[in-house]
Amino acid sequence: MILASCWYHTKDKMLIYVDGKAFRSGNGSKEYPFQTISEAAKIALPGDEVLVAPGLYREYVDPANAGTADARIVYRSVEKGAAVISGSELVKNWKPYQGNVWVARIPNGLFGDYNPYTTLVSGDWFIATYIAHTGEVYLNGKSMYEATELDQVLKPEVYKKSWDQAFTVYTWYTEQDETTNETIIYANFQGADPNAECVEINVRENCFYPSKEGVGYITLSGFTVKQAATQWAPPTAYQEGMVGPHWSKGWIIEDCEISDSKCSGISLGKYKQPNNDNKWLHGKLKNGTQTERDCILQAQREGWTKENIGSHIVRRCNIHDCGQTGIVGHLGGVFSLIEDNHIHHINNKQNLAGAEIGGIKMHAAIDVIIRRNHFHHCTRGLWLDWQAQGTRVTQNLFHDNTLPFDENANPDNNDGVGEDIFIEVSHGPTLVDHNIMLSDFSMKLPTQGVAVVHNLIAGSFTAVGRGVDNGSDTIPSPRYTPYHVPHRTEVDGFMTILHGDMRFYNNIFIQKPIRPGMEAIHQMVKDNEWTDGNLIAGTFPYEGYPSFEEYISMFEGYCGMGSPERDKYYSKLPVWAGGNVYFNGARAMSTETDAIVDTEHEITVGIKEENDVWTLETNVYDYLPETACAMISTETLGMAFEPEEKFENPDGTPIVFQYDYFGGRHGVNPLAGPFAARDVAKQPLTV
């Protein structure tokens, strides 16, 4: 007999139990658990904890109620990773069609009001020449490759842009039977019997995502979440993910494995503005940059404040194999903390393309801290686009964030040549400190107001002095982007990017050998407005930028209306540098008078993985000189030019950069680079 009581009371909270293996759904008590998480999500109230037993939960969980700052609603897998929320369904009605190709007919009633096999991936900044549905077909958990014609399934060819070329011949194609109201899927399983294997298809758009705004203060802990038919998530649209808070405050997503979202795994992004949802794509008359400015100011009017939105935490998650981004966000991720995550193998299929791709892609990362994460094998590691103000990127490991083959270099999409960190048209202050950057391109910098402190940098800087116009061929089209009241969301002004306002202190620059194919990429993109494909490490791309003294000297005397030389207000801003060390031909700008350039020793640098333990392999610490580097602080760095905000903590307190990559203390005169001592470089870089 099922008891009337709906949950078990403890002194501090109510426990609601879920077990998909229960004989029948109960009332949420320990003795009579619910069978689905969704049942618990309808009744969970502030202070409640939903405990989910191991099992596969093929459902869309739509949390109905918000927690509070003092009484969160917690959804917890009782065994880490063992409760699996999936957006897919198993298909077992495959019939032989021709050769290795099988066919399945899926009643459209399965999909409800959203059919991923009639819904195309689309949106602003998506390259529409790529045809893809939001649906996927998975063979034993691995995503197959969609074809646009049945003949490409019958006679598949290797897709050379993919990171996994061998698997690209596992193809599928879909069409509709209007007579029977069925979705038909043809798939080439290359000799496998799909009825004997695990073959799944995307059915649901989201997995754990409130359908309404404002459902805040929720914790999602320890789940595996996978296989959702998410839509492209640009900043000018409703930015959805497989998991996310949907325009609310105070979520914690921790200890989860997030994978195989068609587009984005976790969204910390924007709500839907019906009058400005992919307006560039659909309305056509206003350019995307202007509609983005519009959506920011509209959000300001509609409650985008520190009190209402953001302050999320994403920690200790394994995020991988998503088509667009691991984490995406515009406006909704402000004041958040993203730490200790493993973010890898994002956009590796290369079947989606556009300007919104990366391990993390965030607009308006205001006072966001991104620390101790491991980014690798992504088209881009971290992309901070617009309004990277008060953002701090610290103690992260970046490597192999690039395009793996020469075929990936596309002259029509040459902003897609990957790098570890891309900071775009922001005014700062943006802090990049104590990171290890080992990809071919370490930083793409069409921006200003950045401080780069105590990093090990083995790749080059690209797009310095470029990439800030809107792309018009013959008419000036500078991009004016906003800056904000310090530590707030309120817009304080708009300005184009003047370039400069950069600081480089106590970094190690190592010129890696240029790998095969990179010279061809350089030649392809060197004259492009959006990038230059520079392959040489060091600060030298800032050659010719003024010192602070040179800059302020331009403004001596009368500067008001009618004064001569009005161009000075649009000239390059100053660049500061000190304490940097250069190896293997890495080049310093000539005004960097205290640079140490080692031309004697051959430095090796790389990364080694063994049993999920990653270590740095380099001899640089055998030859790193005992320099008397200065201790760097907020006082040293000053303030970013346009927002007039210091390089400081989100709470406005100053920073002294005395803690290294591992959290150890630097000495009074620290070593250049991310480590406080030579021997600690041999320790595992990830936990």
Side-chain angles (χ1 to χ4, degrees), residues 115-118 133 146-148 153 172-176 183-186:
N115 186 337
Y117 303 92
T118 60
H133 289 90
E146 183 177 7
T148 56
V153 178
W172 62 274
Y173 169 76
T174 188
E175 62 186 17
Q176 293 293 304
T183 292
I184 304 173
I185 299 176
Y186 302 88

Side-chain angles (χ1 to χ4, degrees), residues 167-334:
F167 199 71
T168 62
V169 296
Y170 288 78
T171 54
W172 62 274
Y173 169 76
T174 188
E175 62 186 17
Q176 293 293 304
D177 188 329
E178 303 292 345
T179 303
T180 62
N181 193 29
E182 291 177 314
T183 292
I184 304 173
I185 299 176
Y186 302 88
N188 192 326
F189 296 103
Q190 295 297 328
D193 179 352
N195 295 316
E197 307 292 337
C198 178
V199 178
E200 299 160 292
I201 63 169
N202 282 356
V203 172
R204 288 166 286 280
E205 193 168 6
N206 314 108
C207 288
F208 193 96
Y209 204 91
S211 60
K212 61 184 181 182
E213 300 165 20
V215 183
Y217 296 105
I218 284 177
T219 296
L220 183 72
S221 183
F223 288 84
T224 295
V225 189
K226 63 179 184 178
Q227 299 175 341
T230 50
Q231 184 55 278
W232 186 254
T236 50
Y238 166 49
Q239 278 191 318
E240 66 173 13
M242 191 162 58
V243 175
H246 190 184
W247 202 245
S248 65
K249 186 172 181 178
W251 273 47
I252 298 175
I253 303 168
E254 64 182 12
D255 298 310
C256 292
E257 181 172 3
I258 308 288
S259 74
D260 294 285
S261 174
K262 179 69 179 196
C263 290
S264 293
I266 296 173
S267 172
L268 305 179
K270 191 176 136 297
Y271 68 111
K272 186 172 184 177
Q273 297 174 336
N275 63 313
N276 192 5
D277 190 54
N278 287 314
K279 189 174 181 178
W280 183 20
L281 174 67
H282 300 301
K284 302 185 188 303
L285 300 183
K286 273 192 177 182
N287 182 272
T289 294
Q290 185 60 34
T291 60
E292 186 169 344
R293 282 189 285 258
D294 289 350
C295 85
I296 292 166
L297 295 176
Q298 179 177 339
Q300 190 95 88
R301 297 191 300 272
E302 295 177 348
W304 179 49
T305 67
K306 188 173 187 177
E307 289 71 29
N308 296 331
I309 302 298
S311 297
H312 307 298
I313 298 174
V314 181
R315 61 191 177 200
R316 301 188 302 272
C317 292
N318 181 14
I319 306 169
H320 60 95
D321 290 291
C322 297
Q324 179 191 341
T325 66
I327 301 174
V328 73
H330 182 210
L331 307 178
V334 289

Side-chain angles (χ1 to χ4, degrees), residues 589-610:
M589 56 185 181
S590 59
T591 53
E592 192 174 344
T593 56
D594 71 342
I596 295 178
V597 180
D598 184 316
T599 59
E600 180 182 356
H601 303 105
E602 182 177 346
I603 302 302
T604 58
V605 63
I607 196 82
K608 178 182 178 182
E609 183 269 331
E610 189 172 339

Side-chain angles (χ1 to χ4, degrees), residues 377-657:
H377 292 93
C378 302
T379 297
R380 280 195 166 96
L382 170 64
W383 188 351
L384 300 171
D385 196 353
W386 290 43
Q387 305 150 276
Q389 181 169 333
T391 313
R392 186 175 182 185
V393 181
T394 182
Q395 300 171 309
N396 300 282
L397 171 62
F398 297 89
H399 61 93
D400 295 291
N401 299 303
T402 184
L403 300 177
F405 304 106
D406 295 353
E407 292 91 343
N408 290 91
N410 180 349
D412 298 321
N413 182 33
N414 41 38
D415 64 328
V417 180
E419 57 280 317
D420 287 328
I421 301 174
F422 181 6
I423 306 172
E424 184 174 6
V425 291
S426 292
H427 300 282
T430 308
L431 272 170
V432 180
D433 70 280
H434 293 94
N435 301 283
I436 299 169
M437 293 178 261
L438 302 181
S439 298
D440 298 309
F441 302 122
S442 288
M443 299 184 73
K444 188 172 183 178
L445 293 170
T447 195
Q448 63 189 47
V450 180
V452 182
V453 180
H454 275 293
N455 300 281
L456 192 159
I457 300 172
S460 61
F461 295 157
T462 68
V464 171
R466 305 189 184 201
V468 302
D469 288 337
N470 214 31
S472 174
D473 292 330
T474 59
I475 300 172
S477 57
R479 284 192 284 175
Y480 285 81
T481 59
Y483 51 93
H484 300 262
V485 175
H487 312 299
R488 300 286 305 177
T489 61
E490 289 82 4
V491 174
D492 211 18
F494 286 84
M495 186 54 186
T496 188
I497 301 299
L498 302 177
H499 302 290
D501 194 23
M502 306 290 286
R503 297 128 176 95
F504 302 97
Y505 288 109
N506 299 356
N507 301 287
I508 299 173
F509 292 95
I510 303 172
Q511 178 65 47
K512 293 197 308 181
I514 297 173
R515 67 186 175 103
M518 295 306 295
E519 280 288 1
I521 290 175
H522 169 69
Q523 292 300 319
M524 182 178 293
V525 304
K526 66 179 181 179
D527 297 322
N528 183 266
E529 167 59 25
W530 299 91
T531 189
D532 55 10
N534 170 47
L535 299 172
I536 306 302
T539 58
F540 82 95
Y542 288 93
E543 185 69 36
Y545 282 69
S547 68
F548 179 68
E549 292 73 20
E550 290 170 333
Y551 183 77
I552 61 174
S553 69
M554 293 192 297
F555 297 89
E556 295 175 354
Y558 179 67
C559 291
M561 184 76 173
S563 66
E565 301 179 8
R566 289 186 294 272
D567 285 356
K568 59 193 171 187
Y569 286 100
Y570 301 94
S571 63
K572 294 175 180 177
L573 297 169
V575 175
W576 293 260
N580 300 304
V581 184
Y582 298 80
F583 293 96
N584 288 9
R587 292 167 53 192
M589 56 185 181
S590 59
T591 53
E592 192 174 344
T593 56
D594 71 342
I596 295 178
V597 180
D598 184 316
T599 59
E600 180 182 356
H601 303 105
E602 182 177 346
I603 302 302
T604 58
V605 63
I607 196 82
K608 178 182 178 182
E609 183 269 331
E610 189 172 339
N611 298 323
D612 291 327
V613 175
W614 299 78
T615 53
L616 183 67
E617 292 193 314
T618 183
N619 63 348
V620 71
Y621 286 94
D622 295 336
Y623 303 111
L624 184 67
E626 288 285 356
T627 58
C629 287
M631 183 68 73
I632 305 301
S633 66
T634 293
E635 184 67 24
T636 312
L637 299 177
M639 64 184 183
F641 178 79
E642 219 59 77
E644 300 180 3
E645 178 182 342
K646 293 181 178 180
F647 291 81
E648 60 192 9
N649 287 310
D651 63 1
T653 58
I655 301 171
V656 177
F657 293 88

Side-chain angles (χ1 to χ4, degrees), residues 6 28 60 88 119 135 165 221 233 300 354 357 366 374 394 482 531 558 597 664 667 682:
C6 288
Y60 161 48
S88 69
T119 305
Q165 294 185 9
S221 183
Q300 190 95 88
I357 285 170
I366 298 172
H374 183 191
T394 182
T531 189
Y558 179 67
V597 180
K682 300 176 183 178

